[in-house]
Amino acid sequence: MSLALPALQNDAPSIERAAASLGVDATTLGELVQLALQPVLWEAASQAAALTDIDTWERGYCLCCGAWPALAELIGTERRRVLRCVRCGSGWSWLVLLCPYCGTDDHRDLGSLELGADGSSGVETRGHRIDVCERCHGYVKAVQTFTSNSAVRLVAEDVATLYLDAAAAQAGYRRPGDADAATAGIPRLAREGRS
Ligand SMILES: [Zn+2]
Ligand SMILES: [Zn+2]
């Protein structure tokens, strides 16, 4: 059976069935299939980028492969926020005050995670940050950069900032948050037909 589709769709039951029949660990098998697919997805993403302006995509999930962004880049001195899909390498501009998961733009629900035990020191070490949403309890880690990372470099950046994922998980945030499946990734303004 082909595992490409189940891996891309995060279809855990299918992966678990295949892993059981092969006698291997399901999580490892799922990750290996995703890794094997990555070069194909990189190629698909670069072809999609030639056909359409991905930067203006208005959903929180990836236009090319449907994955949630692994991180956001804060690019240049103006720190333009660009969501990046580590699976296929796609990137698209995104407002700072907009949750990519539940789509809220209510500034009272959006902020950055404080790491210090006394709550005084923000998590802005080495140009890294964790943006959080109190509505869906989702988080997006952010890395500062002068130019956008290549797809390969992005994978390394994701691994190098795993401590941010650990800090976010410890504080009770998830990626993605508990967004409603029917409206996941769709900004509130777009849902209300106002964008
Ligand atoms: Zn993608
Ligand atoms: Zn949210």
Side-chain angles (χ1 to χ4, degrees), residues 85-97:
C85 171
V86 164
R87 193 158 75 176
C88 76
S90 293
W92 61 106
S93 291
W94 200 256
L95 296 173
V96 173
L97 286 177

Side-chain angles (χ1 to χ4, degrees), residues 54-70:
I54 296 177
D55 190 56
T56 59
W57 174 238
E58 291 183 330
R59 298 289 184 268
Y61 48 85
C62 176
L63 166 72
C64 295
C65 77
W68 291 109

Side-chain angles (χ1 to χ4, degrees), residues 38-77:
Q38 212 153 28
V40 180
L41 289 170
W42 288 343
E43 179 56 30
S46 78
Q47 287 187 15
L51 292 171
T52 181
D53 187 4
I54 296 177
D55 190 56
T56 59
W57 174 238
E58 291 183 330
R59 298 289 184 268
Y61 48 85
C62 176
L63 166 72
C64 295
C65 77
W68 291 109
L71 54 83
E73 291 174 324
L74 305 172
I75 300 177
T77 47

Side-chain angles (χ1 to χ4, degrees), residues 45 59 78 80 86 127 138 178:
R59 298 289 184 268
E78 75 275 25
R80 183 169 65 93
V86 164
D178 333 303

Side-chain angles (χ1 to χ4, degrees), residues 71-82 123-131 141-149 153 157 161 163-164:
L71 54 83
E73 291 174 324
L74 305 172
I75 300 177
T77 47
E78 75 275 25
R79 306 179 93 197
R80 183 169 65 93
R81 190 190 193 202
V82 174
V123 181
E124 185 121 19
T125 52
R126 302 196 294 268
H128 297 162
R129 193 175 84 195
I130 304 172
D131 292 313
K141 58 184 178 180
V143 299
Q144 224 175 317
T145 174
F146 280 109
T147 54
S148 210
N149 288 290
R153 171 84 206 148
E157 193 71 275
T161 52
Y163 79 98
L164 295 175

